[in-house]
Amino acid sequence: MKKNILCLFLIVISSLSFSQNPYDLWLQYDNIEEQHILETYKNQVSNIYLSLNSATGTVIKEEIQKAFKGLLGIEPKFDSKTPNIIISTLDKLDPSLQKKLPEISKMNDEAYVIQYISDSKDAQIIISAITEKGLLYGVFNFIKQMQLRNDLSKLSISDSPKIQKRLLNHWDNLDRSVERGYAGFSIWDWYLLPELIKQEYIDYARANASIGINGTVLTNVNSNALVLSPRYIQKLKALADVFRPYGIQVYLTARFSAPIETGDLETADPLNAEVKQWWKNKADEIYAAIPDFGGFLVKANSEGQPGPNNYGRSHVDGANMLAEAVAPHNGIIMWRAFVYSEEKPEDRAKQAYSEFKPFDGKFKDNVLVQVKNGAIDFQPREPFHPLFGAMPNTPLMMEFQITQEYLGGMSHLVFLPQLFEEVLEEDTYTQGKGSTVAKIIDGQLSNKKLTGMAGVANIGTAKNWTGHPFGQANWYGFGRLAWDPETSAKTIAQDWLKMTFTNDSDFVDPMTRLLLESREAVVNYMTPLGLHHIMAANHHQGPGPWVKDMPRPDWTSVYYHKAAADGIGFDRTSSGSNALEQYAPEIQKKYSDPATTPDKYLLWFHHLPWDYKMKSGKTLWYEIAAHYQKGVEQVEGMQKTWQKMQKYVNPQVFEKTNMLLNIQLKEAKQWRNACLLYFQQFSKMDFPDFIPEMTKDLNYYKSLKLPYAPGISPSWN
């Protein structure tokens, strides 16, 4: 009994030494412990002049108060007489100070500068921007400089987003369930809106603004027409009013058949005059309530969703009809390119390209075609989508998935900025070498006026917002890359770790290495060497290479891996589906030969015999086994690293992460064992010596069922 009390006492004492609050995400304003830095900062930021009296000005003032009280232990003084920090829009800044700043008048309206200015008398830090929104971003960056313990006397920052529309896509349903959600229910309490405004809505907006996210689509792409009703528009207005001071616009998903489902019309044909008028009237109604409403995201003619094809019309017909409705209000349409035909497909990887490429240049100027990063569906690794670079006359919006639908759901630690960076750095060669995906979506290669990046959110009612403590890093990282697609994953990892936990290099350095390796570990123990879509059916949790006999062939695993006695892999060269033809000639030439295809995409583009000799000199079967084993060992390495981090981390966060890593290791082993046992049926080859003896047979792994796995429709549906 005494021993238990002592343990409890030690836990409580240990907890008191940490002020890290998972709810605060990366905005941890813990008191700066380095005394020389603390005193220097206090001297540099003792007095503030803030030029704004608006709602955004209030937000800025409150954020500074919160940050200074937490980081510096002081209550900031807002005094216009002797300020050493001046926070002002450019038009209100003294002309003599304007001359000392980097040129921002020619930058976009979200740009800002942070400049340390010193003369013989005194020194000042100037934070300035063209707009209030830019000023808010500048203030968050300035606070970040203190979180990172940077030298404020060396500040000379001039920054602006490279992408215009930086959005979260919530796959949240009106009943508060979340499709592919692993962090509890939806944070949007539609039933209690508009009367009840929860603190979470404000804190959500604050977190997004701190990383430059400027828009949010509140509802699932598998949409419900009810959200377009007058009652829900008023609920939406309440959220828009909360988000506006933080520079965030609200968007909705539009169900294409809404004119029918509301009972107003008998058709949703986009070329029908009554249908056009219905959408114009609906847009006018929404904008009357929410003047800065962003527009609509549309999933049409995909996975059973209604769309223009139902009436023999094209995606252009549907998108342009809606674009005309929102154009008078400066609204946009984001039309998803995630489509595949209802018929038995030749190769699902080819279909979006085949369907959308002919429409290049035919969409209205306020339409963004939203394209997933890969041609299948948010796999742990895919080649970049062939549409990037194939539609030079159409603005393409990148769609990443922040929630981990195919990467372990809530239980696996996976640093997704590494995945995002890999895609963004891929060279499409569409305008010669160096035509990266990043340069296509930010408009560099075609001088696009409208650009965008979307991330499917991983946010819910969990106390830490994202379920897994390290899921926060993926939300943060997406925001950083949406602002600047050329930001390195390493920089993102280091900044997030420092802002969330500690600046101690003994923590940051090994944890940065852990984060940067974590995604490759998942690829290794799930889908190595270009394998893809071999997860269990429906919920996508755990291995399922045996999945077959689904309503559609391209919902099965056997469709993708094609394991047989003669080998494994999907032939997408000219001898197979020829999906490779959708890429630039430079890529076709390289990837058409297995010998020059990168190993990471080998089985994506080639069907090869089990004894195919790899670049390592080993057989394909040996290398498949080696990758599965390496993935397990990488998770074991993550565990060992994490065990050394206990003294730097909130005890509750440490224990939860530790338990989740135990689950991840268990599931990594399940992946290794199940996949190797299944594929061995076809290879007829022994496991290499490094594979541990299997204690369960294949039937055991096939028998594992997860009827209540999170992320799918709840049972009452």
Side-chain angles (χ1 to χ4, degrees):
M1 181 67 178
K2 290 182 178 180
K3 183 178 180 181
N4 291 339
I5 294 174
L6 177 61
C7 290
L8 180 61
F9 175 76
L10 291 174
I11 290 173
V12 171
I13 295 298
S14 176
S15 299
L16 292 174
S17 67
F18 289 91
S19 53
Q20 298 162 1
N21 180 0
Y23 180 85
D24 290 335
L25 300 161
W26 47 88
L27 298 174
Q28 303 286 330
Y29 297 155
D30 300 336
N31 190 253
I32 295 172
E33 296 178 350
E34 304 91 337
Q35 284 302 310
H36 65 289
I37 296 177
L38 178 63
E39 293 305 319
T40 300
Y41 283 179
K42 284 182 178 180
N43 291 332
Q44 291 173 319
V45 301
S46 58
N47 226 344
I48 302 168
Y49 169 68
L50 175 62
S51 70
L52 302 184
N53 295 315
S54 63
T56 298
T58 299
V59 165
I60 290 173
K61 185 174 183 178
E62 290 174 350
E63 196 65 34
I64 291 172
Q65 290 171 326
K66 185 178 183 71
F68 281 32
K69 185 175 181 180
L71 292 167
L72 309 177
I74 63 173
E75 193 70 39
K77 298 178 181 178
F78 289 87
D79 185 347
S80 61
K81 296 179 181 178
T82 57
N84 46 23
I85 297 182
I86 296 176
I87 304 172
S88 173
T89 51
L90 194 62
D91 61 333
K92 296 180 180 179
L93 195 63
D94 188 285
S96 64
L97 291 176
Q98 290 185 30
K99 295 177 181 178
K100 299 180 181 180
L101 299 180
E103 178 63 50
I104 61 172
S105 61
K106 296 180 181 179
M107 301 169 70
N108 64 49
D109 63 3
E110 294 178 298
Y112 63 86
V113 296
I114 307 174
Q115 185 67 46
Y116 181 87
I117 298 174
S118 179
D119 55 34
S120 57
K121 295 182 180 179
D122 50 27
Q124 291 179 319
I125 296 171
I126 313 297
I127 306 174
S128 188
I130 300 171
T131 64
E132 294 185 1
K133 182 160 56 171
L135 208 57
L136 177 63
Y137 296 146
V139 168
F140 272 117
N141 193 337
F142 174 71
I143 294 170
K144 182 177 78 171
Q145 301 306 312
M146 290 193 290
Q147 287 180 280
L148 299 180
R149 311 298 193 260
N150 289 336
D151 186 344
L152 302 186
S153 67
K154 295 182 179 179
L155 289 180
S156 182
I157 298 171
S158 179
D159 199 10
S160 62
K162 292 184 178 179
I163 290 180
Q164 185 180 357
K165 303 294 183 181
R166 308 176 298 280
L167 277 64
L168 289 183
N169 285 183
H170 285 265
W171 285 2
D172 296 22
N173 300 312
L174 298 185
D175 65 359
R176 300 193 72 186
S177 63
V178 182
E179 186 171 346
R180 309 307 176 187
Y182 308 103
F185 284 96
S186 169
I187 64 173
W188 317 127
D189 199 335
W190 292 105
Y191 184 79
L192 297 176
L193 283 166
E195 290 85 4
L196 179 65
I197 302 298
K198 294 185 174 182
Q199 181 64 37
E200 289 94 322
Y201 304 158
I202 299 168
D203 294 334
Y204 166 88
R206 175 175 165 251
N208 280 324
S210 75
I211 51 177
I213 290 174
N214 64 4
T216 181
V217 184
L218 300 172
T219 46
N220 195 352
V221 289
N222 296 321
S223 54
N224 188 326
L226 181 62
V227 81
L228 299 176
S229 66
R231 183 159 59 101
Y232 274 83
I233 291 172
Q234 290 307 306
K235 296 172 185 290
L236 180 68
K237 178 184 183 301
L239 291 174
D241 291 344
V242 171
F243 298 159
R244 189 171 294 110
Y246 294 89
I248 297 171
Q249 291 179 282
V250 295
Y251 298 75
L252 288 175
T253 49
R255 186 160 173 84
F256 202 80
S257 54
I260 300 173
E261 293 169 16
T262 57
D264 295 330
L265 300 176
E266 295 182 354
T267 181
D269 184 346
L271 300 189
N272 180 285
E274 290 183 323
V275 172
K276 291 182 178 181
Q277 191 60 50
W278 188 93
W279 282 106
K280 288 180 179 178
N281 293 343
K282 182 57 62 177
D284 290 345
E285 179 185 0
I286 295 173
Y287 280 99
I290 310 165
D292 58 350
F293 176 68
F296 295 119
L297 170 64
V298 186
K299 177 180 180 180
N301 293 121
S302 176
E303 298 182 320
Q305 291 296 303
N309 296 169
N310 295 39
Y311 304 94
R313 313 302 187 190
S314 71
H315 289 286
V316 168
D317 294 329
N320 287 350
M321 179 271 293
L322 290 171
E324 289 176 0
V326 299
H329 310 282
N330 296 316
I332 66 168
I333 299 299
M334 296 164 287
W335 192 271
R336 292 180 92 228
F338 181 62
V339 298
Y340 49 96
S341 68
E342 295 299 322
E343 296 76 32
K344 182 178 179 180
E346 174 194 9
D347 180 357
R348 179 165 143 187
K350 296 174 63 175
Q351 292 187 59
Y353 179 101
S354 299
E355 197 157 338
F356 277 84
K357 167 70 173 171
F359 297 139
D360 185 32
K362 297 181 180 180
F363 291 95
K364 296 285 187 182
D365 289 342
N366 60 331
V367 174
L368 279 161
V369 175
Q370 185 165 306
V371 183
K372 289 187 178 184
N373 60 274
I376 297 298
D377 190 10
F378 297 134
Q379 296 301 292
R381 170 167 282 136
E382 297 186 49
F384 71 88
H385 202 298
L387 275 175
F388 291 114
M391 300 182 70
N393 301 306
T394 303
L396 299 183
M397 184 176 195
M398 173 64 76
E399 181 178 344
F400 285 126
Q401 192 176 46
I402 308 170
T403 192
Q404 294 173 208
E405 176 182 354
Y406 293 99
L407 292 101
M410 66 174 67
S411 56
H412 293 213
L413 193 164
V414 191
F415 185 61
L416 294 182
Q418 190 77 348
L419 184 160
F420 304 157
E421 180 186 48
E422 178 180 280
V423 175
L424 293 165
E425 287 182 340
E426 287 271 29
D427 198 338
T428 69
Y429 291 95
T430 53
Q431 293 188 33
K433 187 174 177 58
S435 302
T436 63
V437 173
K439 291 179 180 178
I440 288 169
I441 63 169
D442 71 11
Q444 286 187 58
L445 293 184
S446 52
N447 196 29
K448 291 291 184 299
K449 295 180 180 179
L450 183 59
T451 59
M453 185 187 291
V456 181
N458 63 342
I459 297 163
T461 51
K463 291 181 179 179
N464 69 349
W465 298 90
T466 59
H468 198 299
F470 282 77
Q472 298 180 0
N474 298 331
W475 177 8
Y476 174 83
F478 168 79
R480 291 286 300 273
L481 284 164
W483 181 277
D484 182 357
E486 296 181 343
T487 306
S488 76
K490 182 177 182 180
T491 296
I492 292 169
Q494 291 172 331
D495 287 356
W496 180 79
L497 288 166
K498 291 176 182 179
M499 295 167 71
T500 305
F501 296 107
T502 175
N503 282 259
D504 194 315
S505 60
D506 289 339
F507 173 83
V508 175
D509 293 347
M511 286 304 298
T512 297
R513 291 191 293 271
L514 183 152
L515 290 181
L516 295 179
E517 188 176 338
S518 63
R519 183 274 185 124
E520 199 64 37
V522 174
V523 172
N524 281 331
Y525 66 69
M526 286 189 183
T527 53
L529 298 174
L531 289 172
H532 51 287
H533 213 296
I534 58 173
M535 292 76 183
N538 298 319
H539 52 71
H540 301 153
Q541 301 296 296
W546 47 78
V547 172
K548 60 180 180 178
D549 300 326
M550 297 286 285
R552 295 178 55 97
D554 54 352
W555 288 353
T556 69
S557 299
V558 297
Y559 170 90
Y560 293 102
H561 64 66
K562 301 192 183 302
D566 68 340
I568 185 172
F570 199 124
D571 184 359
R572 292 190 167 99
T573 68
S574 58
S575 61
S577 74
N578 205 22
L580 186 55
E581 188 181 36
Q582 296 179 341
Y583 291 91
E586 292 88 343
I587 297 175
Q588 293 181 41
K589 181 179 179 181
K590 183 177 180 180
Y591 289 12
S592 63
D593 184 350
T596 54
T597 301
D599 283 354
K600 63 183 179 180
Y601 298 140
L602 187 64
L603 300 180
W604 185 283
F605 288 107
H606 299 281
H607 184 86
L608 298 171
W610 299 102
D611 61 356
Y612 172 81
K613 189 174 182 180
M614 300 284 287
K615 297 179 181 70
S616 65
K618 304 292 186 179
T619 65
L620 173 60
W621 172 246
Y622 180 98
E623 285 292 353
I624 289 174
H627 277 77
Y628 275 110
Q629 178 62 19
K630 182 178 181 180
V632 171
E633 292 173 355
Q634 286 171 308
V635 178
E636 290 173 339
M638 290 162 63
Q639 284 185 310
K640 291 176 182 177
T641 297
W642 185 246
Q643 287 300 317
K644 299 174 183 177
M645 301 298 117
Q646 186 168 8
K647 66 179 180 179
Y648 302 105
V649 182
N650 175 307
Q652 287 74 36
V653 172
F654 177 82
E655 288 301 331
K656 181 172 184 176
T657 303
N658 191 51
M659 289 185 282
L660 288 170
L661 283 170
N662 288 335
I663 295 172
Q664 186 171 357
L665 179 59
K666 178 190 72 173
E667 295 182 349
K669 291 177 178 179
Q670 288 176 349
W671 268 96
R672 177 196 62 195
N673 297 350
C675 290
L676 290 179
L677 284 168
Y678 176 80
F679 292 136
Q680 190 186 42
Q681 298 177 108
F682 306 100
S683 75
K684 306 297 184 183
M685 301 171 77
D686 294 336
F687 295 135
D689 292 340
F690 53 74
I691 297 297
E693 183 180 355
M694 302 288 183
T695 59
K696 307 287 186 182
D697 63 12
L698 180 60
N699 287 330
Y700 166 78
Y701 294 104
K702 285 185 175 181
S703 71
L704 297 177
K705 305 297 180 185
L706 299 171
Y708 299 107
I712 55 177
S713 298
S715 58
W716 58 78
N717 281 351

